[in-house]
Amino acid sequence: MTLRVKDLKVYYQTLRGDVHALDGVTFDLADGEIMGLAGESGCGKSTLGKSLIRLDSRMRHVGGSIELDGKDLPIADDDAMVPFRYHEISLIPQYAMSALNPTRKIGRMINELLRARGLRPADIAEELERRLELVGLDTDVLNRFPIELSGGMKQRVVMVMSTLLNPSLLIADEATSALDVSTQRSVAESMVEFRDRGYVKSMVFVTHDISLVYQMADTIMVMYAGRIAEKASTSTIINNPQHPYTQMLISALPEVGSTAEETRLEGIPGTPPGLLHPPTGCRFKDRCPMAFSKCNEQPPLLEIEPGHWAACWKTG
Amino acid sequence: MLELDRVHKVYRVGAFGGGRLRAVRDVSLTVKPGEVVSLIGESGSGKSTIGKMVLGLFRPTSGRITVEGTDITTIKGFAARKEYYRKVQGVFQDPFSCFNPIFKADRVFEMIRSSYFPGVSDADWRDKVLAAVGTVRLDPENVLNKYPHQLSGGQLQRLLIARALLLDIKLLVADEIISMLDASTRIDVLNLLGDLKERGLGILFVTHDLSLGNYVSDTSVILRKGAIAEMGPTLRVFDNPLHPYSRHLLSCVPQLHRTWAEVDAELAANPPEDVTLPTVAEDDDSAPLLEAEEGHFVGIDQG
Ligand SMILES: Nc1ncnc2c1ncn2[C@@H]1O[C@H](COP(=O)(O)OP(=O)(O)OP(=O)(O)O)[C@@H](O)[C@H]1O
Ligand SMILES: Nc1ncnc2c1ncn2[C@@H]1O[C@H](COP(=O)(O)OP(=O)(O)OP(=O)(O)O)[C@@H](O)[C@H]1O
Ligand code: SF4
Ligand SMILES: [Mg+2]
Ligand SMILES: [Mg+2]
């Protein structure tokens, strides 16, 4: 499976105008690749995930294309997308835990999902048990209502549901962020295992925990204000980032054991620009310590060395 | 200020409430003014349950929770509850459930105003809201006057923190409030908690991010299966974890530049010394603690 996203533009329509949540996003995802997707809150990560599955009524496909194995993905056509969902592409939404139907027991919910996809629950029962075990859940959860589970337990239930049909591409949006580190580790490791065993082929792993992505992803893509800032192999992004935003993002991470008394950490000063009327030129320029006159023009996303992409006038 | 004294919580589960699930077991802890206490522990270990009991959303099955000396189960009636929530507020794990989708997100601010600040003028109120929104590093232009679905997860979560800041609270229950925030914003929120703590606010801080959790916290409490596994000054707990479960948890913290496999290998090469843990009889649901060094406690071994 290979995914090819080209100059994708998806806007939200609001009364005050269009929110340019994805404004020219371009990247490739190779067969078997696990890509971490990072970036400040509100930069469009979830919008990208949703765009690959279903545009809701307020989202508008303004331009660009998505290709899956050479086939154009009809993202603007809800009905034409049906055969792709769950089978080809599956999404674990952010806050999946609040999306579970409160009136259904977990087991019944899973059975309904399977039947809707034309499968007999009995045929899948054994596999379901194995996967629950893999993420550290007791099969007893099948007899419980969502309200009876903790946040992390619900998150893992959704993860198992979304991967049960072995989608080619799995998008996990903050799927481990409500988990304690030990469960997070086992879930992250089982996701790599899902890939290694071929349950899923490629994965986009949206997270704010760059140190978690470091443990499991092959590549990392950093977004800023609706655009791609940089994409490269995990070790390049962590050890040798080129885009000023990535550099600041990585150095803002504390080491284990630092305390407020010793050193007060500082985030990146300033806030990202609003996407209702995004500024022209480089979107990072108001916060960028390296900005110069050229930055009033939009920097193109260029491959600065094989497999390493960056959009900045200083790196090109 | 906040005191939990041998608190237990048993849920009834299953179709007819026939099953029993012990979510919190014999937990005693205190949060003093100006203190941040981190609650750390595996998924399902009872952290949110403790937070919800403190906020009066569930009653403890046994044990006592007191805030400034008052047993919170005795707080009854609309006026008394309203006074309680003037002092004690919570921000929860899943922000979407705190917003009503048919109203604009900033209605949560209006509700605070109508309950607690009916006399404040429009202009003053607006300044107050803008200040609170600014403290959580949101651009008012981007977030005010919007519906919940128009905001990202991190934006909603920060609006809830801003709401809690509008009241001059004494105790904040913060349940995984930083998990959905990016690193840079996390640090801002943590620095903000640090400032609030300087002003005397007590914070019960539920988190799984151990690298940041200890950044602001004075005391750490590690929970396992509803019981305290280890509790003590944060620096001691992190430098010298005593309970096998705490050691395991710390070894799972994802680190930059060190893979899990490397950490495992180091641990295997220098295994830490064993510590004697307190024990209880099979049918005893208490969870005693043993003081291993001053103020640093270890709890029972639950396998
Ligand atoms: N339905 C909508 N209508 C208008 N604007 C929206 C809508 N949904 C999202 N947005 C805006 O689009 C931008 C991108 O949102 P998105 O949810 O993709 O962010 P994100 O990167 O996933 O953030 P987070 O890390 O906080 O989850 C945000 O600025 C958000 O306010
Ligand atoms: N309303 C409820 N009814 C029945 N059982 C519940 C209820 N809420 C929680 N539980 C159970 O109580 C236990 C503790 O749940 P709690 O939500 O306190 O965990 P947590 O430590 O916050 O976990 P997480 O980190 O995953 O959010 C879990 O086993 C959960 O299934
Ligand atoms: S293009 Fe200019 S403003 Fe943008 S990141 Fe590069 S140097 Fe900074
Ligand atoms: Mg998101
Ligand atoms: Mg919880």
Side-chain angles (χ1 to χ4, degrees):
Chain A
M1 195 254 14
T2 45
L3 179 76
R4 176 155 288 174
V5 177
K6 263 200 234 122
D7 202 25
L8 183 65
K9 293 189 177 156
V10 174
Y11 296 172
Y12 291 101
Q13 288 171 300
T14 72
L15 290 175
R16 290 188 295 162
D18 282 351
V19 175
H20 299 219
L22 295 180
D23 215 2
V25 164
T26 301
F27 67 95
D28 286 354
L29 188 71
D31 194 26
E33 178 175 337
I34 297 185
M35 178 178 90
L37 178 56
E40 234 156 313
S41 175
C43 71
K45 304 179 298 295
S46 298
T47 308
L48 178 57
K50 284 189 273 181
S51 299
L52 296 173
I53 283 280
R54 165 180 279 141
L55 298 184
D56 65 42
S57 56
R58 291 162 298 254
M59 290 165 84
R60 205 156 52 86
H61 180 197
V62 176
S65 62
I66 305 178
E67 261 178 32
L68 191 70
D69 287 329
K71 277 179 295 183
D72 222 18
L73 210 57
I75 60 163
D77 183 344
D78 198 40
D79 294 330
M81 282 296 287
V82 171
F84 290 96
R85 293 186 196 122
Y86 289 98
H87 290 291
E88 298 284 341
I89 306 183
S90 200
L91 169 73
I92 306 174
Q94 189 176 17
Y95 300 106
M97 52 177 127
S98 10
L100 292 172
N101 182 340
T103 65
R104 293 271 194 282
K105 284 188 186 172
I106 304 294
R108 178 158 167 214
M109 217 175 323
I110 294 181
N111 290 348
E112 285 172 358
L113 171 86
L114 290 171
R115 282 200 203 93
R117 305 281 145 185
L119 292 160
R120 290 217 345 249
D123 296 340
I124 313 277
E126 211 174 300
E127 187 58 29
L128 176 61
E129 247 172 65
R130 270 198 323 137
R131 300 223 182 155
L132 287 172
E133 200 183 318
L134 208 56
V135 296
L137 287 174
D138 197 288
T139 45
D140 177 48
V141 298
L142 296 174
N143 296 319
R144 300 235 229 133
F145 289 100
I147 188 184
E148 300 177 334
L149 302 179
S150 77
M153 291 160 94
K154 282 187 274 192
Q155 217 174 30
R156 283 176 283 164
V157 163
V158 177
M159 182 173 314
V160 168
M161 283 169 72
S162 324
T163 50
L164 208 48
L165 300 184
N166 296 346
S168 297
L169 171 62
L170 177 68
I171 302 148
D173 194 351
E174 303 279 5
T176 63
S177 46
L179 300 178
D180 63 278
V181 285
S182 139
T183 315
Q184 188 178 62
R185 174 177 175 175
S186 63
V187 167
E189 286 175 340
S190 45
M191 292 181 88
V192 174
E193 199 171 328
F194 276 23
R195 189 265 319 259
D196 293 345
R197 293 191 188 185
Y199 296 166
V200 299
K201 296 208 176 74
S202 311
M203 217 181 283
V204 176
F205 198 86
V206 181
T207 181
H208 290 303
D209 277 305
I210 299 200
S211 40
L212 177 68
V213 180
Y214 170 72
Q215 305 287 333
M216 59 175 303
D218 306 306
T219 57
I220 298 179
M221 182 161 91
V222 178
M223 282 182 70
Y224 189 79
R227 308 182 126 264
I228 308 300
E230 188 165 5
K231 182 187 175 197
S233 71
T234 298
S235 65
T236 305
I237 292 285
I238 304 293
N239 299 315
N240 193 20
Q242 292 302 310
H243 195 287
Y245 176 63
T246 318
Q247 289 170 346
M248 291 171 85
L249 195 68
I250 301 289
S251 59
L253 298 175
E255 292 290 333
V256 185
S258 49
T259 63
E261 268 126 60
E262 292 164 10
T263 38
R264 193 174 162 107
L265 296 163
E266 294 298 337
I268 303 172
T271 50
L275 297 176
L276 194 54
H277 304 291
T280 54
C282 176
R283 292 193 174 172
F284 190 51
K285 67 175 188 283
D286 289 345
R287 300 166 81 188
C288 180
M290 323 249 289
F292 63 117
S293 56
K294 183 97 171 146
C295 306
N296 288 319
E297 286 166 48
Q298 181 175 299
L301 182 68
L302 296 176
E303 189 164 19
I304 55 176
E305 57 184 334
H308 186 171
W309 301 76
C312 167
W313 291 117
K314 289 275 183 192
T315 62
Chain B
M1 172 181 39
L2 169 68
E3 205 168 329
L4 271 72
D5 183 21
R6 310 207 61 176
V7 170
H8 290 256
K9 176 71 193 176
V10 178
Y11 287 113
R12 288 155 179 269
V13 295
F16 305 101
R20 295 269 184 282
L21 194 147
R22 187 165 57 183
V24 175
R25 171 172 178 182
D26 205 10
V27 166
S28 301
L29 58 86
T30 56
V31 181
K32 299 194 205 70
E35 186 185 27
V36 179
V37 175
S38 301
L39 269 186
I40 302 164
E42 66 187 346
S43 173
S45 59
K47 305 180 295 294
S48 298
T49 302
I50 291 178
K52 286 179 184 160
M53 288 192 292
V54 170
L55 288 167
L57 303 174
F58 293 132
R59 279 166 152 267
T61 310
S62 69
R64 253 162 61 100
I65 301 179
T66 54
V67 170
E68 291 179 326
T70 314
D71 181 338
I72 65 166
T73 54
T74 65
I75 300 174
K76 296 218 172 70
F78 179 74
R81 291 181 71 86
K82 183 171 147 186
E83 271 321 296
Y84 183 68
Y85 291 121
R86 187 196 287 279
K87 286 187 303 207
V88 181
Q89 284 279 319
V91 179
F92 273 100
Q93 208 167 3
D94 129 25
F96 281 113
S97 66
C98 301
F99 289 93
N100 186 332
I102 60 172
F103 295 112
K104 298 225 167 101
D106 33 18
R107 193 173 97 111
V108 296
F109 298 141
E110 266 320 301
M111 288 161 71
I112 295 281
R113 180 181 181 188
S114 58
S115 310
Y116 295 102
F117 301 97
V120 175
S121 75
D122 284 357
D124 288 349
W125 181 252
R126 195 169 160 76
D127 289 346
K128 212 169 148 62
V129 167
L130 289 180
V133 168
T135 337
V136 294
R137 288 217 336 155
L138 285 172
D139 183 350
E141 174 73 1
N142 287 345
V143 295
L144 296 183
N145 218 354
K146 291 203 168 180
Y147 289 94
H149 70 256
Q150 297 181 319
L151 297 167
S152 79
Q155 288 166 335
L156 287 174
Q157 201 145 34
R158 280 177 285 163
L159 283 180
L160 291 176
I161 302 172
R163 176 185 69 168
L165 297 181
L166 286 172
L167 293 165
D168 197 12
I169 51 173
K170 303 252 167 53
L171 177 71
L172 177 69
V173 177
D175 192 349
E176 297 284 13
I177 59 167
I178 58 170
S179 59
M180 299 279 178
L181 304 179
D182 55 276
S184 165
T185 313
R186 271 185 202 185
I187 291 165
D188 291 318
V189 169
L190 288 173
N191 283 334
L192 170 70
L193 295 185
D195 296 342
L196 293 171
K197 161 180 139 166
E198 296 292 304
R199 283 198 249 149
L201 186 76
I203 304 175
L204 189 63
F205 187 65
V206 177
T207 185
H208 72 264
D209 184 336
L210 299 177
S211 53
L212 284 180
N214 68 342
Y215 175 66
V216 286
S217 89
D218 305 289
T219 303
S220 290
V221 178
I222 299 187
L223 279 181
R224 175 102 202 278
K225 298 186 185 168
I228 295 178
E230 184 157 353
M231 172 164 79
T234 298
L235 283 177
R236 295 306 303 151
V237 172
F238 278 73
D239 284 350
N240 182 25
L242 299 172
H243 197 282
Y245 176 67
S246 323
R247 290 173 177 166
H248 167 68
L249 210 56
L250 283 170
S251 75
C252 293
V253 177
Q255 302 186 35
L256 271 190
H257 311 296
R258 279 169 91 210
T259 64
W260 283 318
E262 285 163 10
V263 173
D264 285 350
E266 267 169 51
L267 260 182
N270 326 290
E273 252 173 76
D274 276 344
V275 175
T276 332
L277 303 176
T279 49
V280 287
E282 187 74 25
D283 56 352
D284 185 349
D285 67 358
S286 70
L289 296 175
L290 217 135
E291 190 162 10
E293 54 180 358
E294 204 196 330
H296 187 174
F297 300 86
V298 279
I300 52 174
D301 185 7
Q302 299 187 79

